[in-house]
Every structure is written in C-alpha cells, then in structure tokens.
Amino acid sequence: MKDIAVGTCVHLLSRIDDKALAEFWKETSVGKSPIVDSQGNLGYSLLSEDGILFIRNDFAVTSYEQFELVFGDLFLPDTVQELLIKDKVLLLMVCRKGTQDFLLSELRTDVKFMLDLPRGEYFFFVFLLDAGAESLLNSTVHAIGFPSRMHLNSPELETFYLKHPVDIWEFVDPSPIEIKRGGPFYINMIMINIEQIPGCSLLFSELLQEDESTPPL
C-alpha cells in the first residue's frame, strides 16, 4: 500500500464519535444506505427515479464556493464478483484534500452513485467489507476500490477493459482528483481483490494506522 493515502483517509474515522459510527454500521445491515460525515452526523442516500443513488454531502463550505456534480460507477472484475456470494457491504469514502472533511456512505452494486461536491481535490476509495462483523472497525476487508487512471470523464471503462484485458493495476490511480469547473465528472471505481494488494491489512481497524510513507492529505 506504499504511497497510497487510503490509510490516512481511514484514520479520519477515529475522530467520529463511537456511538455515531455504531449507528452507521447498524443501518448498513438493514439496507438504508446510511451516510456519516466527519462531525458524526448521520444521514441517508436517496434513490432517484433514474436509478441513481444520490449521496447527500455535508462538506463544510464557504458561501462563495461552487459545486459540481460527480457521477460514479463500480467496475467489479471476476475476482471481486466471486466475493459477493456471501454477505458483504460496500462503503464509499470521500476525503477532501487539505481539510478534515470526509463522507462515508454505503453503496449498492446494482446502481450508479452521484455526489454534489464543492470544487477542490478529493480522494475516493471504496471498501468491500464483511457485513456480518460486530462493528465496522472489526470487519474484514475483502477488496478496495480506486479511481481509474484512464477515461476519468468517460463511463465506458468496463467495455474498454473487457476488450483490452491487462494488469488491472495499470488502470488504478489513488491520487486525489480535482473537481473543478466544467463538470459533471464521471469517476469509475475499480475494485481490487485484497489478495492482489501486497501487504494490505485484512482488518478495517488496521487501516487506521497511518503509514509514514503515505502522503499527507
């Protein structure tokens, strides 16, 4: 996981009140698509008539900041689809670079998602976890998703990948993504089986430990 800021982003969860984090994890088990922010506020995503999961955000912004629409989709290679047979939960983490603001939201494998984000640089990660764990921090990590390196503003990554199969790591880019004027933006999250990530922690709680080699947010 060298040079990947996932551990640093997950470390921000330690700032959330234990009760709020427990309530968030509880709501994932009943399919309510919960959201929790850096202040411990709990909310819920909405499914639009077009079948898009709208993730409400609570990023602290100033009155003059402008927002852009960000649409996201998941690409699940065969090695990750095999993991979905048993009870699993998908969580999206969005962290704004240079601040302590972040969102943690439950995703669905069958629908795309959408956020309305203030302009800035963001880290995006998706986690496939064991839904039957007693708590979020005690859950097992089965896969981690990263934004694609190619076709950032194209929703056709899946088709391209299937036509030109290569080492999936060639598509991955864990760097922050700049959300600037000129949206909407399309972000394709590629899920990587944990077995393909050398040295990655298997427990979500272990990702709370910041790696000295991880670049700062």
Side-chain angles (χ1 to χ4, degrees), residues 101-117:
D101 294 327
F102 76 95
L103 294 175
L104 189 67
S105 173
E106 183 180 9
L107 293 182
R108 290 172 49 172
T109 58
D110 58 336
V111 297
K112 299 175 188 280
F113 60 89
M114 177 184 73
L115 301 99
D116 189 15
L117 296 177

Side-chain angles (χ1 to χ4, degrees), residues 121-177:
E121 290 187 280
Y122 295 87
F123 292 95
F124 294 83
F125 298 109
V126 175
F127 303 94
L128 180 66
L129 305 175
D130 178 11
E134 181 179 345
S135 68
L136 170 61
L137 299 183
N138 288 328
S139 59
T140 301
V141 181
H142 295 277
I144 300 179
F146 307 95
S148 68
R149 184 181 301 277
M150 304 170 64
H151 304 288
L152 182 62
N153 280 343
S154 171
E156 300 178 354
L157 172 66
E158 292 86 346
T159 300
F160 183 88
Y161 177 81
L162 292 174
K163 289 182 178 180
H164 307 279
V166 295
D167 184 350
I168 197 169
W169 280 100
E170 294 186 19
F171 286 92
V172 166
D173 186 1
S175 303
I177 294 175

Side-chain angles (χ1 to χ4, degrees), residues 4 11 14 45 69 102 104 116 120 133 157 168 197 208 212 214:
I4 295 179
H11 185 76
S14 62
S45 299
L69 286 177
F102 76 95
L104 189 67
D116 189 15
L157 172 66
I168 197 169
I197 307 178
L208 287 170
E212 292 182 357
T214 300

Side-chain angles (χ1 to χ4, degrees), residues 43-104:
Y44 300 91
S45 299
L46 301 173
L47 189 62
S48 72
E49 294 181 355
D50 297 328
I52 297 177
L53 191 68
F54 176 63
I55 301 172
R56 176 184 57 77
N57 81 74
D58 286 321
F59 281 104
V61 298
T62 57
S63 59
Y64 60 83
E65 284 194 283
Q66 294 180 308
F67 290 69
E68 299 291 340
L69 286 177
V70 178
F71 293 89
D73 200 1
L74 291 176
F75 176 42
L76 302 167
D78 292 341
T79 54
V80 175
Q81 291 190 29
E82 295 172 354
L83 301 173
L84 297 175
I85 298 176
K86 298 181 180 180
D87 290 340
K88 302 291 190 304
V89 60
L90 276 169
L91 299 183
L92 170 70
M93 174 173 279
V94 182
C95 303
R96 190 177 188 183
K97 184 178 180 180
T99 73
Q100 298 297 311
D101 294 327
F102 76 95
L103 294 175
L104 189 67

